[in-house]
Amino acid sequence: MSIPEKIRQCHPALTALRRDIHAHPELAFEEHRTADLVARRLEALGVEVHRGLGGTGVVGVLKAGRSLRAIGLRADMDALPIQERNDFAHVSLHAGCMHACGHDGHTTMLLGAAEVLAAHPDFDGTAYFIFQPAEEGEGGADAMVDDGLFDRFPMASIFGMHNWPGLPTGHFAVHDGPVMASADRFDIEICGQGAHGAMPHLGTDSIIAGAALVQALQTVVSRTLDPLDSAVVSVTQFHAGEAYNVIPDRAKLCGTVRAFSAAVQDRIEATISRIGGGVAASHGVSVEVDYRRGYPPTINTADEAAFCAAVAGSLPGASVLTDLPPSMGAEDFAFYLRHKPGCYVWIGNGPGEGGCTLHNPHYDFNDAIIPFGVAYWVELVRRLLPKT
């Protein structure tokens, strides 16, 4: 039996598994049912299982041959705090929680690859199947690293994959270099002097200062960065006041910063603080900026990117794009790439119309792409850990 045939035979069962995970979503660091399901299936395949990394993470270890070479394959397991608006049979059973980013599909495809490779261990070395918690903003990758992932499971490189709505089924996108941006956050507290709304001259208006600051922040990218450096500074919250006739003494701005390099992050952070000080001086208020680094940019290493493009291009019916622009979205796979070379690819999820876009209440993972994802993982292991 060929491996592609084995994948085709597994497809119906994997589809049922994916839909079961979709119906039972769990938020960051709460993936207890999902982690147990993953662990039990790996154990049933004869794969060595380690639980509890980074909280609820699971690592499966599959060895074949005698080589000391090893690689890591990662899938994320957590869902999002979104109320699902679909009406199919596998809709979320948990109010206010759904798999709106396809982590149910990622987990399923990696389990499918473990099943195929356990049945056909046509490689020489060790494959680590990494099922990670808390990708959605909580840094589960960093938690697994801190919990000794690379010490306990020494691997030469690590690989990830994410579905991508709008990219046709059967297509892969592979980036040499940046693929996802960093994700920093800022909170800016503005403190003035409150006054009656009918007597503004008796106070110092925090709202006016806040509005000026919002406008000024629009120049961070357009006037302080090299035009060839991509970045985003977005103010996403403005909180001030509770009454119609009171000018509040305080206002708060919150937002996000995206970039593809630490140097650009440094420049933006310094510029926001400088602008805050200028607005404070010109409006007679105090401004306090709290800038926090979040996910670093996800930067694929060149050799691994080229290898992954070759693997994806070898799959029957698959096509590879290497010229798509990177995304300003963020991904905590970046934490792994701070320690190991590797590559994070996009797998086409088909058309994104009709709500089938990421983080949308009408999203659903496309089960038709499961065989492509499984085949990619299997072929990656076979080529990176070839029999000699």
Side-chain angles (χ1 to χ4, degrees):
M1 181 187 300
S2 68
I3 285 182
E5 176 61 26
K6 172 67 173 176
I7 294 172
R8 283 192 291 271
Q9 289 192 4
C10 292
H11 191 193
L14 291 175
T15 297
L17 172 64
R18 200 283 301 178
R19 295 180 179 184
D20 175 75
I21 297 173
H22 186 96
H24 300 88
E26 296 169 302
L27 298 177
F29 296 119
E30 298 177 4
E31 309 93 337
H32 302 290
R33 179 187 186 274
T34 308
D36 187 60
L37 181 153
V38 166
R40 286 187 288 104
R41 289 186 72 94
L42 291 174
E43 288 167 345
L45 297 172
V47 175
E48 178 185 324
V49 172
H50 300 262
R51 301 179 185 233
L53 273 85
T56 47
V58 177
V59 177
V61 182
L62 182 62
K63 297 180 180 181
R66 302 178 64 181
S67 172
L68 298 179
R69 296 171 300 181
I71 60 172
L73 314 178
R74 174 271 206 168
D76 35 21
M77 300 187 294
D78 58 321
L80 283 156
I82 295 175
Q83 180 62 46
E84 184 160 8
R85 301 298 181 192
N86 291 310
D87 57 5
F88 42 58
H90 57 280
V91 68
S92 171
L93 299 176
H94 301 162
C97 182
M98 74 169 289
H99 274 292
C101 203
H103 297 185
D104 49 345
H106 304 164
T107 295
T108 298
M109 291 188 294
L110 191 54
L111 281 172
E115 180 176 348
V116 172
L117 289 167
H120 303 273
D122 189 19
F123 63 96
D124 188 13
T126 302
Y128 295 117
F129 304 102
I130 303 165
F131 295 87
Q132 180 207 303
E135 188 281 325
E136 295 291 355
E138 298 297 331
D142 203 26
M144 291 193 81
V145 172
D146 287 345
D147 216 4
L149 175 68
F150 294 131
D151 297 324
R152 296 174 58 184
F153 310 99
M155 61 195 74
S157 51
I158 188 167
F159 301 88
M161 177 164 52
H162 200 294
N163 78 98
W164 207 251
L167 190 63
T169 302
H171 283 59
F172 291 81
V174 183
H175 298 76
D176 179 358
V179 53
M180 307 289 281
S182 60
D184 298 342
R185 297 176 180 179
F186 60 83
D187 294 299
I188 303 177
E189 294 278 357
I190 303 162
C191 184
Q193 181 176 326
H196 195 294
M199 293 172 276
H201 61 292
L202 299 179
T204 307
D205 196 330
S206 63
I207 291 181
I208 292 294
L213 187 51
V214 170
Q215 291 282 68
L217 290 177
Q218 306 313 302
T219 68
V220 173
V221 173
S222 66
R223 290 298 179 268
T224 64
L225 298 183
D226 186 320
L228 298 181
D229 287 329
S230 299
V232 171
V233 176
S234 291
V235 178
T236 56
Q237 301 177 52
F238 193 143
H239 305 283
E242 297 176 342
Y244 287 96
N245 61 345
V246 176
I247 295 174
D249 62 344
R250 294 181 180 273
K252 182 177 181 180
L253 306 179
C254 309
T256 186
V257 173
R258 307 298 171 108
F260 291 116
S261 75
V264 172
Q265 289 175 277
D266 292 342
R267 183 71 179 271
I268 291 174
E269 181 177 359
T271 302
I272 289 176
S273 293
R274 176 175 57 80
I275 289 175
V279 168
S282 63
H283 287 267
V285 299
S286 67
V287 172
E288 183 177 340
V289 177
D290 178 19
Y291 189 101
R292 303 182 303 283
R293 298 294 172 101
Y295 291 179
T298 303
I299 312 293
N300 290 337
T301 46
D303 289 346
E304 284 67 29
F307 196 92
C308 289
V311 168
S314 72
L315 303 177
S319 299
V320 180
L321 302 174
T322 58
D323 58 354
L324 288 187
S327 170
M328 281 295 177
E331 164 61 57
D332 78 345
F333 191 80
F335 288 115
Y336 299 128
L337 295 178
R338 283 183 159 182
H339 301 271
K340 300 288 181 179
C343 183
Y344 178 85
V345 306
W346 297 344
I347 180 173
N349 200 54
E353 294 83 5
C356 276
T357 55
L358 302 178
H359 294 217
N360 185 290
H362 293 284
Y363 170 87
D364 191 30
F365 183 86
N366 182 1
D367 292 316
I369 75 172
I370 291 175
F372 288 101
V374 174
Y376 169 79
W377 284 135
V378 169
E379 189 64 15
L380 187 68
V381 171
R382 294 176 71 196
R383 292 196 180 201
L384 277 174
L385 305 174
K387 280 189 169 182
T388 56

